[in-house]
Amino acid sequence: MAVHRPTPYSLWYGTVRLVGGTPRQTLITMKSSPDSNRTKILSARIAPVTPLNRRRMPSVARFGFELVLLVLLLGGLGACTGDSASLDDAGGDGASEVDTTSGSDSDNDNASEVDQGDESPPLAAAVPEPAQIDVGGIWVDPARLRSLPMSGPGWEAIRQAADGKWDKPKLNNGDNDHDVQVLAGALYAARTGDNDMLEKVESELAEVTGKRAKDILPLARNLLSYVVAADLIDYRPPEFTSWLREVLDAEADGRAGIVSLRESAMSDPSNHGTHARASVLAVALFTDDEELADTVADRFHDWLGRSSEGFLWKELDWQSDPASPVGINPVGSRIDNLQVDGVLPEEQRRSGGFEVPPPREGYVWEALQGAVATAEMLDRAGYPAWEWEDRALQRAFVWLYDVNDYPAEGDDTWQVWLVNRAYDTDFETTSPTRPGKNLGYTDWTHQS
């Protein structure tokens, strides 16, 4: 498994060298080859500093960036020739792509290199116009975010939430909106480069740092947007990242005797667990904890239908196979001639025992809030989570819409934009959407 996160590099005549700073604080990002345990540069992205990010970049990184530009300019402007490297205009966002698909990997452990041979031409290009650098990426592609329109009902909802009065942070209140308000501010700052908004978001993230929750469910709901917001603006003070790691195992009251957010993510099949898996995954990706991200991915895959082991199941009335309970019933499953393919049995049971016609149970949509967020983050990190267990999440939506006649409404409407984008489906959407209990604003971030 690889959490597909760029590492800070600068370009030097076919060689890639570290220049310092965190992955999202540098000006060069890269894609690594999946077929090697060493880094092989397939493409590198050059994007210049803007006021939003320059002030947060360590001086060594700023120096490295400026020196790279100097090398590029003095190395000879003009098009690169040959098959070993080419520089093409990326268009739209003031960035360029350097393709270095040929050459072999270096065995040097201190710097990843693209071996282009002794006669490789120097990399050269005109310096692009200022544009926002690639920051974040857990939730939305940075280049995509920069290209989204600053108009329309989705954007207006973000602007109003960002400019409005924000709640006080209350991690133990699952209905507190501070988390999604901070997310709106981060989206606004990341798209516009507004320094006042950036500082407001940073201040609110600093205020929530160190807080604890008595109960797991509100923590699981609230934490995710804070992590995504921090990722969007590259907010990474040590005390914040330390708090994120600590809060995973902080003692709190959970369902069925569960005592921490991490434990909930690993063993709770209900909506408590789906929210917990989303928040724990976000922390893992944000802190580059690949082992934890792998573990959450495995448990999510299990919950979708791969395995029953290790989950604390309750009543099994809606399980198509009570001997092997799952988070989403498998393809083709039926109970007493009712199609239950796509049912979330652990939530549908909240309405009581099995009956026809099936009741509309709101906890199903609650559980899906955590599940679709988890799938989207895993997909961005390189896991084909939307495809797992015969497209389990698509089947869940099909059952709700076509069998249960229970479309998304209220604070669940943001989920539909993700599912339509993932599966190329056409479930009815609304805009603006209401933020959910853990995320929102997908009618802007994930619009077609």
Side-chain angles (χ1 to χ4, degrees):
M1 167 276 187
V3 177
H4 295 165
R5 193 65 41 73
T7 305
Y9 294 103
S10 63
L11 295 175
W12 295 82
Y13 190 63
T15 299
V16 181
R17 300 184 189 278
L18 294 170
V19 297
T22 69
R24 293 164 209 77
Q25 290 174 326
T26 55
L27 279 299
I28 308 298
T29 61
M30 42 74 73
K31 298 176 183 177
S32 59
S33 172
D35 59 1
S36 172
N37 59 2
R38 296 192 299 271
T39 301
K40 178 179 180 181
I41 304 303
L42 299 178
S43 66
R45 185 178 185 82
I46 305 175
V49 177
T50 64
L52 177 64
N53 300 284
R54 184 182 179 90
R55 67 185 180 83
R56 203 182 342 271
M57 185 177 288
S59 58
V60 63
R62 290 199 301 269
F63 172 76
F65 168 66
E66 290 156 0
L67 193 56
V68 168
L69 291 182
L70 181 62
V71 169
L72 290 174
L73 289 170
L74 295 180
L77 296 176
C80 294
T81 59
D83 294 332
S84 58
S86 65
L87 193 62
D88 299 316
D89 181 12
D93 59 4
S96 301
E97 293 284 335
V98 182
D99 291 324
T100 54
T101 53
S102 64
S104 60
D105 296 336
S106 168
D107 291 329
N108 185 351
D109 292 332
N110 297 321
S112 300
E113 295 191 3
V114 182
D115 183 0
Q116 296 181 330
D118 295 335
E119 302 301 325
S120 299
L123 298 172
V127 180
E129 292 297 321
Q132 188 169 321
I133 69 169
D134 283 359
V135 295
I138 287 176
W139 183 241
V140 62
D141 177 66
R144 171 178 168 78
L145 186 145
R146 289 197 305 271
S147 70
L148 293 174
M150 291 186 286
S151 60
W155 174 255
E156 184 61 18
I158 290 173
R159 188 194 64 77
Q160 289 181 4
D163 287 344
K165 183 179 179 180
W166 293 0
D167 296 342
K168 292 292 184 181
K170 296 180 180 179
L171 276 184
N172 207 54
N173 183 344
D175 295 319
N176 181 262
D177 286 334
H178 182 261
D179 58 324
V180 290
Q181 291 163 345
V182 171
L183 174 61
L187 287 167
Y188 185 88
R191 179 63 181 91
T192 65
D194 186 305
N195 275 310
D196 290 339
M197 184 60 66
L198 178 67
E199 291 173 0
K200 180 180 179 181
V201 174
E202 290 178 329
S203 176
E204 296 299 315
L205 289 172
E207 185 172 351
V208 78
T209 300
K211 292 188 179 297
R212 293 288 188 267
K214 177 181 178 295
D215 300 307
I216 292 172
L217 180 57
L219 172 62
R221 287 176 172 178
N222 290 326
L223 188 62
L224 177 55
S225 273
Y226 291 132
V227 180
V228 172
D231 188 60
L232 284 166
I233 65 167
D234 200 29
Y235 179 80
R236 295 174 178 277
E239 58 271 21
F240 181 75
T241 54
S242 295
W243 170 67
L244 291 179
R245 293 187 180 100
E246 292 165 3
V247 81
L248 297 184
D249 299 302
E251 187 172 344
D253 294 332
R255 178 177 173 270
I258 291 170
V259 296
S260 73
L261 186 67
R262 188 194 300 264
E263 186 182 355
S264 180
M266 301 304 151
S267 59
D268 197 331
S270 75
N271 67 90
H272 296 228
T274 65
H275 280 297
R277 279 184 284 281
S279 283
V280 173
L281 176 63
V283 172
L285 296 175
F286 185 83
T287 60
D288 295 313
D289 188 336
E290 296 188 13
E291 182 178 0
L292 180 56
D294 263 344
T295 302
V296 177
D298 281 341
R299 293 308 281 156
F300 182 64
H301 197 167
D302 290 343
W303 177 83
L304 289 172
R306 185 175 66 175
S307 173
S308 304
E309 296 298 319
F311 289 109
L312 303 173
W313 305 100
K314 290 197 173 182
E315 293 83 2
L316 305 176
D317 303 65
W318 285 89
Q319 296 283 352
S320 62
D321 181 3
S324 300
V326 291
I328 299 179
N329 276 336
V331 170
S333 55
R334 305 183 75 86
I335 300 177
D336 291 348
N337 292 321
L338 176 69
Q339 177 187 327
V340 294
D341 170 350
V343 167
L344 275 66
E346 189 68 17
E347 302 306 330
Q348 193 65 32
R349 69 171 182 81
R350 301 285 194 104
S351 62
F354 177 81
E355 61 179 293
V356 180
R360 296 176 176 180
E361 178 49 63
Y363 279 109
V364 174
W365 282 110
E366 167 83 8
L368 285 171
Q369 288 200 17
V372 298
T374 300
E376 179 65 8
M377 289 185 291
L378 285 173
D379 182 75
R380 289 199 49 72
Y383 304 84
W386 289 111
E387 301 298 319
W388 285 342
E389 299 308 305
D390 300 299
R391 296 189 162 195
L393 292 172
Q394 181 181 8
R395 293 188 292 104
F397 269 65
V398 168
W399 189 82
L400 285 166
Y401 277 78
D402 294 352
V403 179
N404 203 207
D405 190 23
Y406 188 21
E409 56 188 28
D411 71 353
D412 293 310
T413 55
W414 63 273
Q415 301 181 53
V416 185
W417 293 83
L418 290 174
V419 169
N420 280 347
R421 185 173 176 82
Y423 296 121
D424 195 27
T425 47
D426 59 355
F427 297 108
E428 185 177 358
T429 57
T430 60
S431 184
T433 59
R434 272 179 55 192
K437 296 174 177 64
N438 57 350
L439 279 172
Y441 311 112
T442 52
D443 51 322
W444 186 72
T445 58
H446 291 78
Q447 61 185 283
S448 298

